C-alpha cells in the first residue's frame, strides 16, 4: 500500500514541457497551414467586413411610431376620406384601412326567427327547422356583397418613427432634415429614405393579390430596421424599410380568410326606440415593427475576440498531431520522438558520466541548437 501511495505521489509530482518535433511531410504540412489560414481568414473577415468583433452592441431600443393615411375614394357612390375609412383613428403602431363596409340597421331587444343566431328563447318550429332568438333585428346577413373601394391603392401612409439607444444616449428620427415628407414618395432605389409610402407600391413588394385583398382584407407588416455603427458619423445612422405578408400562412385557409372586423353606431328615435347600425369592414391592416442595433468600439470584446482567434490557430496543431500520431505510417516512431521521459538519474549520469555507463541524454542527428526542435524527414 505504501509503495502504491508513493508511486501515485511520484506520478502526480511530475512536470511536463512541450517538445517540438519538426516533421517534413507534405500532407501534414499542407493540412496544418490550410487550417491556420482558414481560421485567420475568418477572423480577419469578421473584423473588417462586419465590424462587429471589436464592438459592443445595444439592442434595447426605445421607439415611437405615428402613422397617418391620406387619400380619397368612392364606396357605394359615396366619397370617403380618412375619417370614413380609417378605424380606429389611432391605435399604437397599427392602422386599419377599410376597403369595403357592410352596414346593417337593426332594432334592439326584438324577437326574430333565425337559424341558430342570437340568444335562443326556446320557441322553435320543428316543421321548418327554425328557432326564435332574442337580439338585434334584423341580424347580420353575410350574403350581402359590396364592391370594394378601388382607389385605396393610391392612398399614402406617412410613418413618423423616432428611436433612442439608451446605452449610448443616441436619438434618431426616420427622415433627414433635407427631405420634405409632403413632397416625396418612398422608392427603395431612388428615394429609400422617404417615409411616405404608396399602398400600391407596398402591395407590389409583398406580392399580394390586389383584387382579393380589396375584397377579403389582409395584414401587411412594415419593418423598420436601424443598424448603426456609432464609430462613424451619427448622421449615417439611417433606417431601412421592408414589407412582409403577415397573413401568408392563411392564404389557402377556407375559414377566416383575410381580415375583417365589426363596429356599431347607436342612436334613438324621437319615440325612444333604440337602433344601431352594424358595420362589418373588410380592411388592410398595417403593422409597423421597429428593430435596431447600435454598435461602438469596446476594449473588452476586442481582447476577447483577439485571444479567441489566437487560441483557435492552435487547432491546426491539434488536428495534425492526431493524424501524425495515429494515421500516418511510422506513427510509433513519431510518438517516441515527441514524448520522451527524462529522470534525474539520467541528468546526473549525463553530467558526471562514468566509464561504461550507457545513461545519457541523446539528441537527434539533425537538431536546432536555438530551440531544441528535432527534425524528422519523411519521403515526399
Amino acid at each position: 500500500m505504501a509503495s502504491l501511495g508513493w508511486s501515485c505521489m511520484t506520478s502526480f509530482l511530475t512536470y511536463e514541457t512541450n517538445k517540438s518535433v519538426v516533421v517534413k511531410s507534405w500532407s501534414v504540412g499542407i493540412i496544418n497551414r490550410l487550417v491556420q489560414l482558414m481560421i485567420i481568414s475568418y477572423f480577419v473577415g469578421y473584423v473588417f467586413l462586419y465590424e462587429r468583433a471589436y464592438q459592443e452592441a445595444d439592442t434595447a431600443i426605445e421607439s415611437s411610431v405615428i402613422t397617418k393615411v391620406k387619400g380619397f375614394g368612392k364606396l357605394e357612390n359615396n366619397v370617403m376620406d380618412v375619417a370614413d375609412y380609417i378605424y380606429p383613428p389611432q391605435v399604437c403602431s397599427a392602422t386599419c384601412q377599410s376597403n369595403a363596409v357592410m352596414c346593417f340597421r337593426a332594432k334592439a331587444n326584438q324577437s326574430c326567427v333565425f337559424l341558430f343566431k342570437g340568444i335562443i328563447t326556446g320557441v322553435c318550429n320543428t316543421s321548418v327547422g327554425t328557432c326564435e332568438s332574442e337580439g338585434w333585428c334584423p341580424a347580420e346577413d353575410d350574403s350581402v356583397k359590396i364592391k370594394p373601394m378601388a382607389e385605396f391603392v393610391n392612398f399614402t401612409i406617412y410613418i413618423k418613427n423616432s428611436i433612442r439607444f439608451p446605452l449610448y444616449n443616441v436619438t434618431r428620427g426616420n427622415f433627414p432634415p433635407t427631405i420634405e415628407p409632403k413632397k416625396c414618395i418612398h422608392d427603395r432605389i431612388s428615394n429609400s429614405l422617404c417615409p411616405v409610402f404608396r399602398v400600391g407600391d407596398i402591395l407590389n413588394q409583398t406580392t399580394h393579390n390586389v383584387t382579393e385583398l380589396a375584397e377579403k382584407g389582409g395584414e401587411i407588416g412594415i419593418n423598420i430596421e436601424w443598424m448603426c455603427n456609432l464609430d462613424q458619423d451619427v448622421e449615417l445612422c439611417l433606417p431601412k424599410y421592408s414589407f412582409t405578408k403577415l397573413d401568408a400562412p392563411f392564404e389557402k385557409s377556407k375559414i377566416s380568410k383575410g381580415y375583417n372586423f365589426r363596429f356599431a353606431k347607436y342612436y334613438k328615435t324621437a319615440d325612444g326606440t333604440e337602433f344601431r347600425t352594424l358595420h362589418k369592414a373588410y380592411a388592410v391592416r398595417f403593422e409597423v415593427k421597429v428593430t435596431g442595433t447600435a454598435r461602438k468600439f469596446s476594449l473588452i470584446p476586442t481582447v476577447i475576440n483577439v485571444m479567441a482567434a489566437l487560441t483557435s490557430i492552435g487547432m491546426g496543431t491539434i488536428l495534425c498531431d492526431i493524424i501524425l500520431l495515429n494515421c500516418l505510417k511510422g506513427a510509433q516512431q513519431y510518438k517516441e520522438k515527441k514524448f520522451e521521459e527524462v529522470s534525474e538519474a539520467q541528468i546526473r549520469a549525463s553530467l558526471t558520466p562514468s566509464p561504461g555507463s550507457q545513461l545519457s541524454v541523446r539528441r537527434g542527428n539533425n537538431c536546432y541548437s536555438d530551440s531544441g526542435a528535432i527534425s524528422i524527414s519523411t519521403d515526399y
Side-chain angles (χ1 to χ4, degrees):
M1 181 64 69
S3 62
L4 179 60
W6 178 256
S7 177
C8 291
M9 181 64 70
T10 304
S11 299
F12 178 73
L13 296 176
T14 58
Y15 171 71
E16 296 179 358
T17 184
N18 294 329
K19 178 181 180 181
S20 299
V21 179
V22 179
V23 181
K24 296 182 178 180
S25 170
W26 280 100
S27 56
V28 179
I30 290 174
I31 293 173
N32 181 42
R33 298 309 179 195
L34 283 177
V35 172
Q36 292 179 347
L37 183 61
M38 289 172 59
I39 294 172
I40 294 174
S41 300
Y42 172 78
F43 178 73
V44 172
Y46 189 65
V47 172
F48 294 101
L49 295 182
Y50 297 98
E51 299 181 348
R52 296 178 180 179
Y54 59 90
Q55 294 177 321
E56 185 178 4
D58 180 11
T59 58
I61 66 170
E62 300 170 358
S63 174
S64 172
V65 174
I66 298 175
T67 58
K68 293 183 180 180
V69 181
K70 289 187 177 181
F72 291 88
K74 271 195 172 184
L75 187 65
E76 295 290 287
N77 292 323
N78 295 317
V79 176
M80 303 188 73
D81 60 15
V82 176
D84 300 312
Y85 59 74
I86 296 297
Y87 190 90
Q90 193 63 251
V91 109
C92 296
S93 60
T95 297
C96 294
Q97 176 182 290
S98 306
N99 303 322
V101 180
M102 300 179 183
C103 301
F104 310 96
R105 188 176 180 184
K107 294 182 180 180
N109 300 322
Q110 299 293 313
S111 294
C112 305
V113 178
F114 297 117
L115 182 62
F116 306 115
K117 288 187 177 182
I119 299 176
I120 304 299
T121 63
V123 180
C124 296
N125 187 337
T126 57
S127 61
V128 296
T130 60
C131 291
E132 186 182 73
S133 65
E134 189 176 29
W136 292 91
C137 295
E140 178 183 333
D141 185 3
D142 286 332
S143 64
V144 176
K145 300 296 180 181
I146 190 168
K147 186 178 179 181
M149 185 165 47
E151 295 85 358
F152 82 99
V153 294
N154 293 319
F155 294 167
T156 58
I157 304 174
Y158 168 53
I159 300 177
K160 185 179 180 180
N161 173 223
S162 63
I163 63 164
R164 178 176 175 268
F165 295 102
L167 180 62
Y168 303 116
N169 194 27
V170 173
T171 303
R172 297 291 295 158
N174 68 324
F175 56 90
T178 56
I179 292 182
E180 176 59 48
K182 296 181 179 180
K183 298 180 180 180
C184 71
I185 295 294
H186 178 84
D187 184 276
R188 57 181 177 178
I189 298 176
S190 61
N191 204 358
S192 61
L193 297 179
C194 178
V196 180
F197 305 86
R198 181 178 170 272
V199 172
D201 296 335
I202 296 176
L203 299 183
N204 290 336
Q205 294 189 43
T206 57
T207 64
H208 256 298
N209 185 314
V210 177
T211 302
E212 185 176 353
L213 183 70
E215 293 177 353
K216 296 294 183 181
E219 294 180 88
I220 297 175
I222 301 176
N223 306 309
I224 306 177
E225 183 182 26
W226 296 82
M227 299 297 293
C228 302
N229 184 353
L230 298 182
D231 290 323
Q232 302 176 0
D233 189 347
V234 71
E235 295 299 326
L236 299 177
C237 179
L238 299 170
K240 292 183 179 180
Y241 302 95
S242 61
F243 310 99
T244 310
K245 197 176 185 180
L246 297 179
D247 57 347
F250 306 100
E251 284 185 335
K252 298 182 180 179
S253 175
K254 295 181 180 180
I255 301 176
S256 189
K257 189 175 182 179
Y259 177 75
N260 62 76
F261 61 93
R262 296 167 177 81
F263 63 96
K265 295 180 180 179
Y266 302 88
Y267 54 93
K268 286 185 178 180
T269 59
D271 60 0
T273 303
E274 187 177 9
F275 286 85
R276 81 169 183 180
T277 301
L278 175 65
H279 301 263
K280 183 178 181 181
Y282 291 88
V284 180
R285 181 181 176 88
F286 295 94
E287 289 279 355
V288 182
K289 180 181 179 182
V290 182
T291 59
T293 301
R295 298 180 181 276
K296 200 170 186 180
F297 175 80
S298 178
L299 183 61
I300 294 176
T302 302
V303 172
I304 292 174
N305 284 281
V306 170
M307 295 304 297
L310 296 177
T311 304
S312 300
I313 294 176
M315 291 297 296
T317 303
I318 296 174
L319 177 61
C320 291
D321 279 352
I322 293 174
I323 297 173
L324 185 69
L325 302 176
N326 297 278
C327 303
L328 292 185
K329 185 179 179 180
Q332 186 60 35
Q333 296 176 349
Y334 296 139
K335 289 181 181 178
E336 293 176 356
K337 292 295 183 180
K338 182 173 177 62
F339 306 106
E340 181 179 357
E341 292 185 4
V342 180
S343 65
E344 291 184 359
Q346 288 176 304
I347 298 298
R348 286 196 297 268
S350 64
L351 294 176
T352 57
S354 59
S357 175
Q358 296 181 358
L359 293 175
S360 62
V361 179
R362 297 191 222 173
R363 299 178 61 85
N365 294 330
N366 187 6
C367 301
Y368 296 95
S369 58
D370 58 336
S371 65
I374 298 176
S375 176
I376 299 177
S377 301
T378 61
D379 294 333
Y380 289 105

